Amino acid sequence: MRILFLCLGNICRSPAAEGVVRRLAQEAGLVLDLDSAGTGDWHAGEPPYGPMQAAARARGYDLAALRARQLVRADFDRFDLILAMDRQNLRDAARLAPTGTRARLELFLNGETGTEEVPDPYYTRDFDGCLDIIEAGASALLARLQPPQ
Ligand code: 4NP
């Protein structure tokens, strides 16, 4: 299963989601091919934002090796699932999607966490709150992907 996490800049929310889901999947023994991207290209080539990395590191998620990149049309054929952090990301990705693509494009959150959008900590500055929401969303995603025991 190939999953792409999508946000605006690819330096806060989607790399954090990638890191959290990667660890949960490892712990669950689930083999997932994970990546992240942004709808914008301003930060392409950069590592995740310093305060986001620090908040993630404090919870044991190491995001240092990740590098930002922009979503491209080929991603819709490379991935099974593209999970957007907010509705604007979803709209922007839908506009880029070729017709009849392999990837399903959805919101990362599905309401189980009490919200359908991950607030952008680049603006809210609430990096821990962002991680709380991402951890809840990641658990819900893993539960959905794991076959019933
Ligand atoms: P992200 O946050 O989408 O969670 O990576 C952002 C980071 C940078 C910018 C926007 C959002 N920016 O405009 O530079």
Side-chain angles (χ1 to χ4, degrees):
M1 178 83 150
R2 295 177 171 190
I3 304 176
L4 182 72
F5 299 94
L6 181 71
C7 64
L8 177 58
N10 193 209
I11 57 169
C12 291
R13 294 165 295 172
S14 61
E18 180 184 348
V20 171
V21 172
R22 175 162 291 127
R23 201 179 74 194
L24 286 189
Q26 274 165 2
E27 287 169 2
L30 202 63
V31 178
L32 298 176
D33 189 351
L34 305 176
D35 195 5
S36 65
T39 56
D41 69 350
W42 313 284
H43 297 283
E46 294 178 17
Y49 190 48
M52 185 80 253
Q53 280 201 58
R57 198 180 310 119
R59 299 187 187 200
Y61 308 109
D62 183 2
L63 310 181
L66 302 178
R67 293 295 177 269
R69 70 172 181 90
Q70 189 174 26
L71 180 71
V72 293
R73 285 168 67 87
D75 287 323
F76 292 89
D77 289 320
R78 276 184 54 208
F79 292 91
D80 300 300
L81 202 50
I82 298 178
L83 297 175
M85 296 298 128
D86 64 34
R87 294 193 178 285
Q88 186 63 53
N89 305 150
L90 192 71
R91 275 194 294 274
D92 291 340
R95 204 172 300 130
L96 188 71
T99 46
T101 60
R102 159 192 180 133
R104 270 188 299 140
L105 176 62
E106 301 175 2
L107 284 172
F108 170 58
L109 302 178
N110 52 20
E112 289 173 32
T113 53
T115 172
E116 292 196 324
E117 300 189 294
V118 183
D120 193 339
Y122 194 73
Y123 301 109
T124 68
R125 313 309 293 175
D126 184 5
F127 296 93
D128 267 308
C130 175
L131 280 173
D132 288 341
I133 291 171
I134 285 174
E135 284 180 333
S139 295
L141 176 66
L142 265 286
R144 177 183 148 193
L145 296 178
Q146 273 174 304
Q149 302 294 317

